Amino acid sequence: MSDLSVAAGLDSVGTPSLWAITILGVLALLVLDFVVTRRPHEVSLKEALGWSAFYIALPLAFGAWVWHRYGSERGFEYLTGYLVEKSLSVDNLFVFMLLLAAFAVPTELAQRVLLFGITGALVLRGIFIALGAAALQTLDFAFLIFALILLFTAAKLLRDAFTGHEQTVDIGTMRSVRLLRRFMPVVHEYHGTKMTVRVDGRRALTPLALVVVAVLATDVVFAVDSVPAVYGITEDPYLVFATNAFALLGLRALYFVLHAALSRLVHLTYGLAIILAFIGIKLGLHWAHGIWDGVPEIPTVASLLVILGVLTVVTITSLRATRNVVPGAKEVVTERK
């Protein structure tokens, strides 16, 4: 990654040693999570809160180090990018929640499924980040392409929000599930954390394998708009990777903390659409500024204030709109594809 940044001529704080330390740290945290979830168990609120506090304190401490080591501009870029990625990762949880419900995943196995989804998302976003860095260097209109992707996604989110379209998951129509069933039989019962079992002398998939593949398939969709969004905040591939990694690592614990509250964030889709559209406009102006000097650019500090403001407003309006809803009575999940 660091070699890519240097070869591409991108301005990055990511030295080879910093890249190595960060990647090893991310791998260590993933291994720790797999160790924690090796024995299936139902996650208590106390456990989830503890891990969530850790995964919030860690990126904030890292942001303070970036600010101290590389200055306020890089610090603002990191914090703004992290906030954007964390907001989008919460949206990931909506889809994960649907998939876990559709596959009737036992409560004690939910965190293992989430962990596979997070690992897949990290790998995919690493690939997209590398491709994005290469595109920024080789294509003069890369920022314009990123802007159009974000504006298209924002328009789709707004359309779904205004039409009140709610997402449902039909396991039988999912392409990934149908493809797996063509090649291997599938048993109906879960067998702990096993992906396959032997039935009548033949290897068969468990429902856990199907839901993990389904979650990984959704990771591709989220990476398409997530990576361009953070590139709209910073062009530094290292900071892009760091914000994505820190935002994703805490999802497993955050899911169990927010599970009951997720259904109340009914206006989150509007907020994410506004944020993505704003970043899309920011990217478009940045591209145009490179051609016409008179075109203004949106500073990172202004971006941070706008994103904070939007998230605050949609959270307040969502809680007010659902103040009479009994928690757990009905989960409303807006489509996010």
Side-chain angles (χ1 to χ4, degrees):
M1 276 290 202
S2 59
D3 292 337
L4 174 62
S5 300
V6 173
L10 296 175
D11 182 18
S12 175
V13 302
T15 62
S17 58
L18 187 57
W19 270 107
I21 293 172
T22 304
I23 292 174
L24 288 175
V26 170
L27 291 176
L29 289 171
L30 284 175
V31 170
L32 176 62
D33 271 351
F34 273 106
V35 170
V36 170
T37 61
R38 72 187 186 282
R39 294 181 180 177
H41 66 280
E42 187 172 348
V43 179
S44 66
L45 180 60
K46 181 180 179 180
E47 178 185 350
L49 286 173
W51 281 108
S52 293
F54 170 75
Y55 278 117
I56 291 175
L58 184 62
L60 291 180
F62 181 80
W65 176 80
V66 170
W67 191 300
H68 174 75
R69 179 69 175 80
Y70 300 105
S72 60
E73 183 178 355
R74 293 296 193 188
F76 270 119
E77 288 179 2
Y78 168 80
L79 291 174
T80 306
Y82 173 72
L83 184 60
V84 170
E85 289 304 310
K86 200 64 178 178
S87 303
L88 292 172
S89 70
V90 171
D91 204 27
N92 283 44
L93 294 182
F94 279 92
V95 176
F96 289 164
M97 184 170 64
L98 275 177
L99 290 172
L100 291 173
F103 283 92
V105 177
T107 305
E108 63 272 15
L109 292 178
Q111 58 179 338
R112 178 52 67 99
V113 174
L114 292 171
L115 191 52
F116 276 114
I118 292 167
T119 304
L122 280 169
V123 173
L124 286 169
R125 294 191 186 185
I127 295 172
F128 274 74
I129 289 167
L131 293 175
L136 290 177
Q137 177 61 23
T138 57
L139 299 176
D140 294 335
F141 51 89
F143 280 114
L144 180 60
I145 294 175
F146 288 175
L148 293 175
I149 291 174
L150 295 181
L151 290 173
F152 174 80
T153 304
K156 186 177 185 303
L157 285 176
L158 282 178
R159 182 199 66 187
D160 294 337
F162 281 122
T163 57
H165 185 62
E166 293 182 8
Q167 183 185 22
T168 57
V169 173
D170 185 354
I171 299 175
T173 62
M174 296 183 69
R175 294 179 182 178
S176 58
V177 172
R178 288 186 297 174
L179 181 63
L180 285 176
R181 283 176 169 165
R182 285 183 182 179
F183 295 98
M184 292 185 69
V186 179
V187 298
H188 297 291
E189 303 83 15
Y190 284 88
H191 292 262
T193 58
K194 292 181 179 179
M195 297 285 190
T196 63
V197 292
R198 189 170 291 279
V199 179
D200 297 329
R202 186 181 179 188
R203 185 64 64 179
L205 296 173
T206 67
L208 181 64
L210 296 185
V211 66
V212 166
V213 171
V215 167
L216 293 177
T218 64
D219 286 337
V220 178
V221 179
F222 284 106
V224 171
D225 53 27
S226 175
V227 172
V230 73
Y231 265 123
I233 302 300
T234 176
E235 298 176 37
D236 187 333
Y238 173 78
L239 292 182
V240 172
F241 176 79
T243 55
N244 272 271
F246 281 127
L248 289 170
L249 282 172
L251 275 190
R252 177 182 64 84
L254 187 62
Y255 174 85
F256 295 100
V257 174
L258 295 181
H259 185 270
L262 283 174
S263 60
R264 297 193 60 186
L265 298 178
V266 292
H267 296 160
L268 179 62
T269 302
Y270 294 100
L272 292 178
I274 294 171
I275 290 172
L276 291 178
F278 172 78
I279 298 175
I281 293 171
K282 183 178 186 295
L283 280 171
L285 291 174
H286 181 71
W287 168 79
H289 181 78
I291 301 175
W292 303 286
D293 292 337
V295 176
E297 292 192 270
I298 301 175
T300 303
V301 176
S303 301
L304 177 60
L305 294 175
V306 168
I307 293 167
L308 282 172
V310 170
L311 291 176
T312 300
V313 169
V314 297
T315 299
I316 293 173
T317 59
S318 293
L319 295 178
R320 286 181 60 85
T322 58
R323 59 184 179 275
N324 295 323
V325 175
V326 178
K330 180 182 179 182
E331 292 182 342
V332 180
V333 183
T334 306
E335 181 174 1
R336 183 69 178 87
K337 286 186 178 180

